[in-house]
Amino acid sequence: MRIGILTGGGDCPGLNAVIRAVTKSLIQQCGAEVVGIEDGFLGLIERRVRPLGWDDVSGILATGGTILGTSNTASPFAWRDRDVSDEVARYVHDGLGLHSLVVIGGDGTMTIAQHLASVGSLSVVGVPKTIDNDIEGTERSFGFDTAVATVTDALERVQTTGQSHGRVMVVETMGRYAGWIALEAGVAGAADVILLPEIGYDVEAIAALCRERSARRRSTLICVAEGAKPVGGELTVGQRVDDASDPVRLGGVAHVLRAQLQPLVGAEVRATVLGHVQRGGSPTAFDRVLATQYGHAAAGLVRQGVSGRMVALQGGRLCDVPLHEVAGRNRLVPPDHALLQCAREIGVSFGEPG
Amino acid sequence: MRIGILTGGGDCPGLNAVIRAVTKSLIQQCGAEVVGIEDGFLGLIERRVRPLGWDDVSGILATGGTILGTSNTASPFAWRDRDVSDEVARYVHDGLGLHSLVVIGGDGTMTIAQHLASVGSLSVVGVPKTIDNDIEGTERSFGFDTAVATVTDALERVQTTGQSHGRVMVVETMGRYAGWIALEAGVAGAADVILLPEIGYDVEAIAALCRERSARRRSTLICVAEGAKPVGGELTVGQRVDDASDPVRLGGVAHVLRAQLQPLVGAEVRATVLGHVQRGGSPTAFDRVLATQYGHAAAGLVRQGVSGRMVALQGGRLCDVPLHEVAGRNRLVPPDHALLQCAREIGVSFGEPG
Amino acid sequence: MRIGILTGGGDCPGLNAVIRAVTKSLIQQCGAEVVGIEDGFLGLIERRVRPLGWDDVSGILATGGTILGTSNTASPFAWRDRDVSDEVARYVHDGLGLHSLVVIGGDGTMTIAQHLASVGSLSVVGVPKTIDNDIEGTERSFGFDTAVATVTDALERVQTTGQSHGRVMVVETMGRYAGWIALEAGVAGAADVILLPEIGYDVEAIAALCRERSARRRSTLICVAEGAKPVGGELTVGQRVDDASDPVRLGGVAHVLRAQLQPLVGAEVRATVLGHVQRGGSPTAFDRVLATQYGHAAAGLVRQGVSGRMVALQGGRLCDVPLHEVAGRNRLVPPDHALLQCAREIGVSFGEPG
Amino acid sequence: MRIGILTGGGDCPGLNAVIRAVTKSLIQQCGAEVVGIEDGFLGLIERRVRPLGWDDVSGILATGGTILGTSNTASPFAWRDRDVSDEVARYVHDGLGLHSLVVIGGDGTMTIAQHLASVGSLSVVGVPKTIDNDIEGTERSFGFDTAVATVTDALERVQTTGQSHGRVMVVETMGRYAGWIALEAGVAGAADVILLPEIGYDVEAIAALCRERSARRRSTLICVAEGAKPVGGELTVGQRVDDASDPVRLGGVAHVLRAQLQPLVGAEVRATVLGHVQRGGSPTAFDRVLATQYGHAAAGLVRQGVSGRMVALQGGRLCDVPLHEVAGRNRLVPPDHALLQCAREIGVSFGEPG
C-alpha cells in the first residue's frame, strides 16, 4: 500500500503536524509506504516526490510551514495553458503506484484533487486547511488558533501604543470573505471596534465612537478584517465570492479606513497591516493537537478505503463530510453567531450605522 | 438590581476575563450594580466587598490571577469551627442587598454556594473553573488551554536538553484525578510517553521503551500527570477521589518515577515538576474568548432570574447544567477517548504493561 | 523635595519600568514627593499632573506603554503658535514647586527639557528613550531589545511562509536614520539580506542573489529598515537627518522594493511592514533590567543635585553624559561595526553593488 | 585546513548558533573543511564524527540544544578508569587530520581541551558556555539571557497566583555558585526577595518581611538561586567551589526555605523548582546575536592560528583571553555590583539580617 501526501494553497501553521500524523499512523497501523509530493500539484506535474519515513517526520510537529513545500496555483488541468491531467493521473497510478492521496488544502486544492481522482482511479481524502477558518463543513480548522493568537498578541502591542498616545489604532487582519480571525482576535485582544466582511461598516458611526472615547481620554482599538467593507457591500452567508478585481483583495482596508477616519476625529489615527506574520510560525498547542487528530483521522479514512471525503470537526467531534459538499462555498460568520452577540453585549461595536 | 461576584478555589488564567464579561454585560444590558467580593467566601465572612464599575474591569482581560483575590478553604459553614452561614446569608441579603451571586469556582466552591443559596433566598449562577478540565458537565473549562500551552512550552524546552544529552526526561504536570493536561500537552509537546491517573503504568514497560530508544541514540520524553499511579491503582470514570492521605497529593510522582527508572535504563534520567507556573500568567486568546463567553452567559442567566445552574460547553456550544449534577464528581479521561486512540496510533506509549 | 517625571515622544517598552525605578528610588532613598506629568509637555501646558506614590508604580514593571501618557509634538516653546514657556516654567517652579524634572524621551524631548531648564531654575536629568537605539552617547537604550525580539519573531514567522512557497519575503522594520533594529533582528532572524539606511542598496545585486537562491530551491528573506535607500543616498555617521519631505518617512520601502524586485526574479515577492507592533508590548527581561537601572541612576543624579545630564551606557557600564552633547545627532551604524563584519562573513548580504 | 567543533557540558540555548557561525565563517572565509564531533569528548573517544557543510548548519540558528549532542562527563584522561588521551590525540591528528579544535563548553570542558592540546599538537580555541554566566574572563555568556527570560516569565506566572491567594511564593532558579540568573530575573520579574549564593540569608529577616507584607494584604515573591545558603555559608568572590557532597547540589533549597518560613508567617508558602526548563528552548534574539558573534570570533582566531585562548566579552566588546586564566575559577556576583545596589534602592531585599 503506497499513499501520497501533498499540501496545497497558502502556508498555515500545523501543516507539518498533519503530515507527521498521517505518516506515522499509516506506517504504524498498516505498514504503508508514504510518499511526499513537493510543492503541491506542481510536484506531480514536475515529478518531484520523496519517500517519507518515520524519522523524516519526527521532530517536525512544532515547526511552521510545510516540509513538502506548497504552491498556490499549479493545476494539472491548466498547466501552462495545457491540460496535463491525463499524464499526471498516469504518473500517479503507474509511475508512483499510489493507492490514495491525502490532500491538505483549501477549497481550490480540494477541487483539483477531486477532478484528478475522477480522471485516474485514485482515492482522495481531504484535510481542510484555511487560516481564515472559512471552509464549509468544519467548525474549526488547524492554524486558525495560531493566527488568532498572533493577531491577539499584535493587538495587545498596538493597544499599549494607542493608550500611551491617546490614538485611534487600526489593525488589519486576514479574512477576505469571512471575519473569524478578526472576530475572535478582536474579542481576545480587547478591541473596541471589530469590522468584518459580513457586516457593512459606517465610517461616521465609528468616528462618533472614537470622538466619544477621546473626550474621556480613551484610545480606540479597531480590528478590521481585510475584506471588511462599508455598508452596502455585505455578503450573504454561504454565498461564494471570487471577484478577483476587488481592490480589497489587495489588502489595505486599514489604510483606507485611516484616511476616512482622520478628518472625522481629533485624535491621531494610525494603521498597521499584519500581513504574512499571521500565516507563519510554530502552531499553538491547540493547533498541534487538532492537526494531529485531523492527520490521524485522514489516515483512518485511507485505511478504510474511503474516497472523496474530508475530515472535519462538528459539534466538537471529529467526523468526515463529502468533498463535493464543501467545494465552492465559504463558511461566513452568521448574523446570529453567539460570539457576535456576546461581544456586542460587553460593549464591542461592529461599526454598524447608529 | 445588585449582583455579587466571587472567585473561589485555586488561581486560574481567565478569571479576570470572566469577571470583566459578567460585569460589563450586567451594566450594559440592565444597568445592574455589580459588587466584587474579596478572597472568595472569606470576603463574605469578613465583609470585604467593593463596587465593580465599567472602568474597574477595563484592561483586565489579559491579566492573570483574579482582581478579587481568592481563597481555597474559607467556608461559611465551617469557619474557625463554627457555622456562620446564617450571618453570612443575612449579610448578603440585608447588608449587601444582593439579588444574585455569580460564583466562579470549582466543585468545592459550587457546593458551598448552593448551600448558601438554600440558607438565604439567593440566586446562584456558577461558572466552572478548573485548570485540570475535570468538572463534570462541561467539556472545556477556561484556563485549561493556557495550562496546556505552558506545559507544551516546558516540554519543548526540556526536549532540547534531553536530545542534546540523550537523556530520559520526566516532566510532571498538574492533574491529580484527571489527566487532561498531561494528555493534551503530551501530544502537543511530542512526548514519547504520557502517564495519566486514569491508566496505571508499568515501570518495566516504560524502561523497555527507554532502552530501545537509547539503543537508537534517541532521548525519551515522559509527560506524567501528578496523579498517575502504577498499575493496580486505576480510577473509574466518574468515580470521586478525595483521599487526602494519598502521598501523590504531595506531588513528586516525577521524582518517584525517576528513581524507579534510573536503575533500569542506561541513560541518565532527570525529573522536573512544573508546579505553580501552570496556573499563572496571561490567558491564551482561546481562553480569553471562552472565559468572556462564560461570563456573558452567566450574566444572561442572572438576567433571566435563573438559579442553581452552571454555564457549560457541550458539543462545542454554550449551555447550562444544574449545579447539583456537577457536585462531587470528576470528569476523567475515558478509556475510549479519541485523543488517547489517536496518540497510541502515532506511537505514543501510555506506559501500559507490554 | 518634589520631583517631576514625564515621558515624551513615541511609545517604547520599558517606560513604566523607568518611571517605577525613579519613583521607588526617590521615595526610599530620600523620602521625596514624586509628581507624574501627563502626556509629556502637554501635561505641563494643560496643568495635568498627579502624585506618584509607591503603590502607584507597583505592578507596572512588565506593562507596555507609559502610565503617564506621552505626546509627540507638544512643546511649551511653540504651543498653538505661541511661546508659553514662561508660564510653564512658573507653573513648574511656583505651582508645582518642582526641584527637578526627570525627562524620559528622545532627542526632541531632551532639547525642549534643556531649554525649559534654562528658562526656569529647574534641574533636568534625562533618560534616553529610542526604539531605534540611535541616541548619541549611549550604546544601548531600553526598548531596543524588545523591538529586536518582536522583529526577530516576525522574521521567523515570515521565514516559514517564504520557505513553504519558495518566495522572496521582504520585511520592513523601524529605523528611519539608523539601522540597528534591522541589523540585530536580521542577524537573529537569519535574514539573507539586511538593508540599512547607512548602506545604499543595489536592486540588481539583491535580485541576483534571489535568483541564485531560487535556482537552488531556496527562499530569500530580506530585512529592510524603513530608512534604507538605493545606492547614492547614504548618510554619514553622526550627520543629522530631518528631511520631513522624504517619502521614505511614510514607510513603505518594503513595498517599493517588492515592486522593484518582482520583475527581476522568478519567484513571488511579498512584503510586510511591521509597523507599530514594534513599539508596544511588555518589555523583555533585558529591557526591564536596563530600564530599571536607568531609572535608578537618574534618581541618583537628582539626589546629587546634578542637572543637564543624561544617564547612558558605555562600555557595558552605566554613566552619564551632558545633554548638549547628545542633541541634534543620530548614532548610526558605523561602516566598520563588528556585527556588520560578522554578518558579512557568515554570508549575509547588505545589498551592496557586486 | 580541517577544523573540528565539539560541544561539552550541560545544554545551553545558543549552542547551535555558535556551531552555525563557526562553520559558515570557516567555509566562507577560508574554504575550510569542518568536522562535527558528537557528544563532546565522547565522540573523540568513540570515533563518532561527521562533516558539517553549509546546508547542515542552515536553519539551526533558532533551535535549542546542540545538533552535535553533548556529554557532561566523558574525558579522554579518565575513560572507564583509563587514560586514553594518547589514542585520542593520535586519532585527532592522524585519523581526522584536524588542524584546530573549537571547543564550546564550560570550565571542565576547557580544561580537558587544554590538556588534550598539550598531548597532541592541536590548536584549541574556546567559546565560553555557561547558563549561569559565571565563567571568569567574560561578562556575559550566551544562553544566560534566555535563561533569565525563562525565569522572568515563570516569576510572572507565579506572581499572579501569589497575588490571587495572598501567598508567599518561593521560586528556585539555577545558580549553584553564582547568583546571576536569580539576580537579573529577580529584578526583571519584580521579586520582593532575591537570595543568592553570594549573600547569606536570614530566615527570620525574610519572615518579618513576609509578615509585614501580609499585614498590608500583599503577597511576597522570593527568587532563590539553587546555591543560596543561610548566613554563615557565604562564598568569597573568585573562590572555587566544588564540594560534590553539598546537599544544595541536589536542588531543593526552595523546599527547605518553604519549610523554614511556613511556621514563621501567617500566609501559605508555596515552592517551585524551575529545573531543566531553564536550559532549553530557542535562544532569545540577544543570545542568537551574541552566540553568532562568539562563533564568528572563534573562527577568526582559528584562521589566525591562535591557540589556547577563549573568546570573551569585556566592556561590551568582543575580545579573547588565555584559557589558563579562566580555569578553576567562578565569576561570582561581587558585593558592590551595580545591579545589587540598584535593586536594594528600589526596595528589593536580599534576605540579609536586619
Side-chain angles (χ1 to χ4, degrees):
Chain A
M1 184 155 135
R2 302 189 85 198
I3 291 105
I5 309 180
L6 69 76
T7 51
D11 185 31
C12 184
L15 286 169
N16 285 329
V18 179
I19 294 168
R20 170 181 177 267
V22 171
T23 304
K24 288 194 166 184
S25 295
L26 288 172
I27 292 175
Q28 174 165 309
Q29 294 308 106
C30 55
E33 275 181 76
V34 183
V35 172
I37 294 154
E38 296 183 357
D39 298 337
F41 291 107
L42 195 61
L44 288 184
I45 297 169
E46 298 184 345
R47 309 201 168 184
R48 287 186 284 108
V49 305
R50 60 176 195 258
L52 287 181
W54 191 274
D55 287 353
D56 296 311
V57 299
S58 288
I60 68 171
L61 173 61
T63 59
T66 158
I67 59 165
L68 294 176
T70 183
S71 60
N72 278 355
T73 52
S75 163
F77 297 94
W79 176 243
R80 294 179 178 160
D81 299 328
R82 236 169 34 92
D83 180 339
V84 298
S85 58
D86 276 337
E87 291 157 58
V88 164
R90 260 200 312 278
Y91 171 60
V92 169
H93 192 267
D94 303 337
L96 295 176
L98 293 190
H99 165 275
S100 297
L101 190 62
V102 176
V103 172
I104 314 165
D107 186 41
T109 306
M110 296 291 177
T111 304
I112 295 171
Q114 267 199 298
H115 291 172
L116 199 61
S118 66
V119 173
S121 55
L122 187 69
S123 295
V124 169
V125 168
V127 179
K129 176 211 65 67
T130 156
I131 204 87
D132 293 342
N133 205 29
D134 64 352
I135 290 184
E136 271 292 345
T138 187
E139 62 200 22
R140 203 160 262 262
S141 50
F142 69 89
F144 173 66
D145 188 67
T146 306
V148 168
T150 303
V151 174
T152 300
D153 179 71
L155 287 173
E156 279 191 67
R157 291 177 185 277
V158 170
Q159 179 81 280
T160 66
T161 288
Q163 287 173 342
S164 297
H165 288 272
R167 284 178 181 154
V168 175
M169 305 298 285
V170 184
V171 177
E172 179 177 323
T173 74
M174 286 187 169
R176 193 171 295 164
Y177 310 123
W180 298 105
I181 291 178
L183 175 58
E184 293 229 354
V187 170
D192 303 298
V193 180
I194 300 174
L195 305 179
L196 311 178
E198 294 89 345
I199 302 175
Y201 67 79
D202 178 57
V203 172
E204 181 44 44
I206 302 170
L209 180 77
C210 296
R211 286 192 301 262
E212 183 270 329
R213 292 181 63 85
S214 287
R216 293 184 294 121
R217 300 197 172 280
R218 291 281 183 283
S219 59
T220 304
L221 180 60
I222 302 176
C223 178
V224 54
E226 61 178 320
K229 291 175 182 168
V231 164
E234 292 97 324
L235 310 174
T236 319
V237 172
Q239 180 192 334
R240 180 52 185 270
V241 180
D242 50 13
D243 178 7
S245 67
D246 188 341
V248 170
R249 289 189 69 135
L250 302 173
V253 63
H255 291 297
V256 171
L257 191 61
R258 182 176 74 87
Q260 291 174 317
L261 282 175
Q262 188 61 82
L264 303 177
V265 303
E268 292 172 317
V269 186
R270 296 293 163 89
T272 299
V273 179
L274 295 180
H276 288 89
V277 295
Q278 296 165 84
R279 303 199 88 91
S282 180
T284 59
F286 182 96
D287 274 339
R288 294 184 204 176
V289 172
L290 182 60
T292 297
Q293 289 184 292
Y294 275 147
H296 169 255
L301 293 179
V302 166
R303 290 206 312 270
Q304 293 161 37
V306 167
S307 184
R309 296 186 74 88
M310 180 184 86
V311 298
L313 195 77
Q314 290 185 356
R317 290 179 181 281
L318 285 168
C319 60
D320 53 271
V321 298
L323 273 171
H324 64 82
E325 287 185 9
V326 172
R329 299 174 67 85
N330 284 107
R331 197 176 64 95
L332 303 189
V333 178
D336 61 348
H337 189 61
L339 188 54
L340 270 185
Q341 189 66 8
C342 166
R344 276 194 186 99
E345 298 194 355
I346 60 168
V348 175
S349 165
F350 288 88
E352 292 157 299
Chain B
M1 183 155 138
R2 302 190 84 198
I3 291 104
I5 308 180
L6 70 75
T7 50
D11 185 31
C12 184
L15 285 169
N16 285 328
V18 179
I19 294 168
R20 170 181 177 267
V22 170
T23 303
K24 289 195 165 184
S25 295
L26 287 172
I27 291 175
Q28 173 165 311
Q29 294 309 106
C30 55
E33 275 182 76
V34 183
V35 172
I37 295 154
E38 296 182 357
D39 298 338
F41 290 106
L42 195 61
L44 288 183
I45 297 170
E46 297 185 345
R47 309 203 168 183
R48 287 187 284 109
V49 305
R50 61 176 194 258
L52 286 181
W54 191 273
D55 287 353
D56 296 311
V57 298
S58 289
I60 68 170
L61 173 60
T63 59
T66 159
I67 59 165
L68 295 177
T70 183
S71 60
N72 277 354
T73 52
S75 164
F77 296 94
W79 176 241
R80 294 177 178 163
D81 299 329
R82 240 172 28 97
D83 181 339
V84 298
S85 58
D86 276 337
E87 292 158 56
V88 163
R90 262 201 311 280
Y91 170 61
V92 169
H93 192 267
D94 303 336
L96 295 177
L98 292 191
H99 165 275
S100 296
L101 190 63
V102 177
V103 171
I104 313 165
D107 185 41
T109 307
M110 296 292 177
T111 304
I112 295 171
Q114 267 200 297
H115 291 171
L116 199 62
S118 65
V119 171
S121 54
L122 186 68
S123 295
V124 169
V125 167
V127 179
K129 176 211 65 68
T130 156
I131 203 86
D132 293 341
N133 205 30
D134 65 351
I135 290 184
E136 271 292 343
T138 187
E139 62 200 22
R140 203 159 261 261
S141 50
F142 69 88
F144 173 65
D145 188 68
T146 306
V148 168
T150 303
V151 174
T152 299
D153 179 71
L155 287 173
E156 279 191 66
R157 291 177 185 278
V158 169
Q159 179 80 280
T160 66
T161 288
Q163 287 172 341
S164 298
H165 288 271
R167 284 177 181 154
V168 175
M169 304 298 286
V170 184
V171 177
E172 180 178 323
T173 74
M174 287 188 170
R176 193 170 295 162
Y177 309 123
W180 298 104
I181 291 178
L183 175 58
E184 294 228 354
V187 169
D192 304 298
V193 180
I194 300 174
L195 303 179
L196 311 178
E198 293 90 344
I199 301 175
Y201 67 79
D202 179 55
V203 172
E204 180 44 44
I206 303 170
L209 180 76
C210 296
R211 286 192 302 262
E212 183 271 328
R213 293 182 62 85
S214 288
R216 292 184 294 123
R217 300 199 171 279
R218 293 280 183 282
S219 59
T220 304
L221 180 60
I222 302 175
C223 179
V224 54
E226 61 177 323
K229 290 173 182 168
V231 163
E234 292 99 322
L235 311 174
T236 319
V237 173
Q239 180 190 334
R240 179 54 183 269
V241 180
D242 50 14
D243 178 7
S245 67
D246 187 340
V248 170
R249 289 189 67 133
L250 303 172
V253 63
H255 291 296
V256 170
L257 190 60
R258 182 176 74 87
Q260 291 174 318
L261 283 175
Q262 188 61 84
L264 303 178
V265 303
E268 291 172 317
V269 186
R270 296 292 163 90
T272 299
V273 179
L274 296 180
H276 288 89
V277 294
Q278 296 165 82
R279 304 198 87 91
S282 180
T284 58
F286 182 97
D287 274 340
R288 293 183 203 178
V289 171
L290 182 60
T292 297
Q293 289 184 292
Y294 275 148
H296 170 256
L301 293 179
V302 165
R303 291 207 311 271
Q304 293 162 38
V306 166
S307 184
R309 296 187 74 88
M310 179 184 87
V311 298
L313 195 77
Q314 289 184 356
R317 292 181 179 279
L318 285 168
C319 61
D320 53 273
V321 296
L323 274 171
H324 63 81
E325 286 185 8
V326 172
R329 298 174 68 84
N330 285 106
R331 196 176 64 94
L332 303 189
V333 179
D336 60 348
H337 189 61
L339 187 54
L340 270 185
Q341 189 66 9
C342 166
R344 276 194 187 101
E345 297 194 356
I346 59 168
V348 175
S349 164
F350 288 88
E352 292 158 300
Chain C
M1 184 154 135
R2 303 190 83 199
I3 290 105
I5 308 181
L6 70 75
T7 51
D11 186 31
C12 184
L15 285 168
N16 285 329
V18 178
I19 294 167
R20 171 180 176 266
V22 170
T23 304
K24 288 195 164 183
S25 295
L26 287 171
I27 292 175
Q28 173 164 310
Q29 294 308 107
C30 55
E33 276 183 75
V34 183
V35 172
I37 294 154
E38 296 183 355
D39 298 337
F41 290 106
L42 195 62
L44 288 184
I45 297 170
E46 298 184 345
R47 308 201 168 186
R48 288 186 285 110
V49 305
R50 61 176 194 257
L52 287 181
W54 191 274
D55 287 353
D56 296 311
V57 298
S58 289
I60 68 170
L61 173 61
T63 59
T66 159
I67 58 165
L68 294 176
T70 182
S71 60
N72 278 354
T73 51
S75 164
F77 296 95
W79 176 243
R80 295 176 178 162
D81 299 328
R82 238 168 35 91
D83 180 341
V84 299
S85 59
D86 277 337
E87 293 158 55
V88 163
R90 259 199 312 280
Y91 171 61
V92 169
H93 193 267
D94 302 338
L96 295 176
L98 293 191
H99 165 276
S100 296
L101 190 62
V102 176
V103 172
I104 313 166
D107 185 41
T109 307
M110 297 291 177
T111 303
I112 295 171
Q114 267 199 298
H115 291 172
L116 199 63
S118 66
V119 171
S121 54
L122 186 69
S123 296
V124 169
V125 167
V127 178
K129 176 210 66 68
T130 156
I131 203 86
D132 293 341
N133 206 28
D134 65 350
I135 290 183
E136 271 291 343
T138 187
E139 62 200 22
R140 203 159 260 261
S141 50
F142 68 88
F144 173 66
D145 188 68
T146 305
V148 168
T150 303
V151 174
T152 299
D153 179 71
L155 288 174
E156 279 191 66
R157 292 178 184 276
V158 170
Q159 179 81 280
T160 66
T161 288
Q163 287 172 342
S164 297
H165 288 271
R167 285 178 180 152
V168 174
M169 304 299 285
V170 184
V171 178
E172 179 178 323
T173 74
M174 287 188 169
R176 193 170 296 162
Y177 309 123
W180 297 105
I181 290 178
L183 175 58
E184 293 228 354
V187 169
D192 304 298
V193 180
I194 300 173
L195 304 179
L196 311 178
E198 294 90 343
I199 301 176
Y201 67 78
D202 178 56
V203 171
E204 181 44 45
I206 302 170
L209 180 76
C210 296
R211 287 192 302 263
E212 184 270 329
R213 292 181 63 86
S214 288
R216 292 184 293 121
R217 300 197 172 279
R218 291 281 183 281
S219 59
T220 304
L221 180 59
I222 302 176
C223 179
V224 53
E226 61 177 322
K229 290 174 182 169
V231 164
E234 292 99 321
L235 310 174
T236 319
V237 174
Q239 179 191 335
R240 180 53 184 271
V241 180
D242 50 14
D243 178 6
S245 67
D246 187 339
V248 170
R249 289 189 68 133
L250 303 172
V253 62
H255 292 295
V256 171
L257 190 60
R258 183 176 75 86
Q260 291 174 317
L261 282 175
Q262 188 61 83
L264 303 178
V265 304
E268 291 173 318
V269 186
R270 296 292 163 91
T272 300
V273 179
L274 296 180
H276 288 88
V277 295
Q278 296 164 82
R279 303 199 87 90
S282 180
T284 58
F286 183 96
D287 274 339
R288 294 183 203 178
V289 171
L290 182 60
T292 297
Q293 288 184 293
Y294 274 147
H296 169 257
L301 293 180
V302 166
R303 291 206 312 272
Q304 293 161 39
V306 165
S307 185
R309 297 186 74 87
M310 180 184 87
V311 298
L313 195 77
Q314 289 184 356
R317 292 180 179 279
L318 286 168
C319 61
D320 52 273
V321 297
L323 274 171
H324 64 81
E325 287 185 8
V326 172
R329 299 174 67 84
N330 285 106
R331 195 176 65 94
L332 304 188
V333 178
D336 61 348
H337 189 62
L339 187 55
L340 270 185
Q341 189 66 9
C342 167
R344 276 195 186 101
E345 297 194 357
I346 60 168
V348 175
S349 164
F350 288 88
E352 292 157 300
Chain D
M1 185 155 134
R2 302 189 83 198
I3 291 104
I5 308 181
L6 70 75
T7 51
D11 186 30
C12 184
L15 285 169
N16 285 329
V18 178
I19 294 168
R20 170 181 176 266
V22 170
T23 303
K24 288 195 165 183
S25 296
L26 287 172
I27 291 175
Q28 173 164 309
Q29 294 309 105
C30 55
E33 275 183 77
V34 183
V35 172
I37 295 154
E38 297 183 355
D39 297 338
F41 291 106
L42 195 61
L44 287 184
I45 296 169
E46 298 184 345
R47 308 201 168 185
R48 288 188 283 109
V49 304
R50 60 175 194 259
L52 287 180
W54 191 273
D55 286 354
D56 296 311
V57 298
S58 289
I60 67 170
L61 173 61
T63 59
T66 160
I67 59 165
L68 294 177
T70 182
S71 60
N72 277 355
T73 51
S75 164
F77 297 94
W79 177 242
R80 295 178 176 159
D81 298 329
R82 244 178 17 102
D83 181 340
V84 298
S85 57
D86 277 337
E87 292 158 56
V88 164
R90 259 200 312 279
Y91 170 60
V92 168
H93 193 267
D94 304 337
L96 295 176
L98 293 189
H99 164 275
S100 297
L101 190 63
V102 176
V103 171
I104 313 165
D107 185 40
T109 306
M110 296 290 178
T111 304
I112 295 171
Q114 267 199 298
H115 291 171
L116 198 62
S118 66
V119 171
S121 55
L122 187 69
S123 296
V124 170
V125 167
V127 179
K129 177 210 64 69
T130 157
I131 204 87
D132 293 342
N133 204 29
D134 65 351
I135 290 184
E136 271 291 344
T138 187
E139 63 200 22
R140 203 158 262 261
S141 49
F142 69 89
F144 174 66
D145 188 68
T146 305
V148 168
T150 303
V151 174
T152 299
D153 179 71
L155 288 173
E156 279 191 67
R157 292 178 184 277
V158 170
Q159 179 80 281
T160 67
T161 288
Q163 287 172 342
S164 297
H165 288 271
R167 284 178 180 153
V168 175
M169 304 299 285
V170 184
V171 177
E172 179 178 322
T173 74
M174 287 188 168
R176 193 171 294 163
Y177 310 123
W180 297 105
I181 291 178
L183 175 58
E184 294 229 353
V187 169
D192 304 298
V193 180
I194 299 173
L195 304 179
L196 311 178
E198 294 89 344
I199 301 176
Y201 67 79
D202 178 57
V203 171
E204 181 44 44
I206 302 171
L209 180 77
C210 296
R211 288 192 301 263
E212 183 269 331
R213 292 182 62 86
S214 287
R216 292 184 293 123
R217 299 196 172 280
R218 292 280 182 284
S219 59
T220 304
L221 180 60
I222 302 176
C223 178
V224 54
E226 62 178 320
K229 291 173 183 171
V231 164
E234 292 98 323
L235 310 174
T236 319
V237 173
Q239 179 191 335
R240 180 54 183 270
V241 180
D242 51 13
D243 178 6
S245 67
D246 187 340
V248 170
R249 288 189 69 134
L250 302 172
V253 62
H255 292 296
V256 171
L257 190 60
R258 183 176 76 86
Q260 291 174 317
L261 282 175
Q262 188 62 84
L264 304 178
V265 302
E268 291 172 318
V269 186
R270 297 292 163 90
T272 300
V273 179
L274 295 180
H276 288 88
V277 295
Q278 297 165 83
R279 303 199 88 91
S282 180
T284 58
F286 183 96
D287 273 339
R288 293 184 204 176
V289 172
L290 182 60
T292 297
Q293 289 184 292
Y294 275 148
H296 169 256
L301 293 179
V302 166
R303 290 206 312 271
Q304 292 161 38
V306 166
S307 184
R309 297 186 73 88
M310 180 185 86
V311 298
L313 195 77
Q314 290 185 356
R317 292 179 180 281
L318 286 168
C319 60
D320 53 271
V321 297
L323 274 171
H324 64 81
E325 286 185 9
V326 172
R329 299 174 68 84
N330 285 106
R331 196 177 65 94
L332 304 189
V333 178
D336 60 349
H337 189 61
L339 188 55
L340 270 185
Q341 189 66 8
C342 166
R344 277 195 186 100
E345 297 195 355
I346 60 167
V348 175
S349 164
F350 288 87
E352 292 157 299

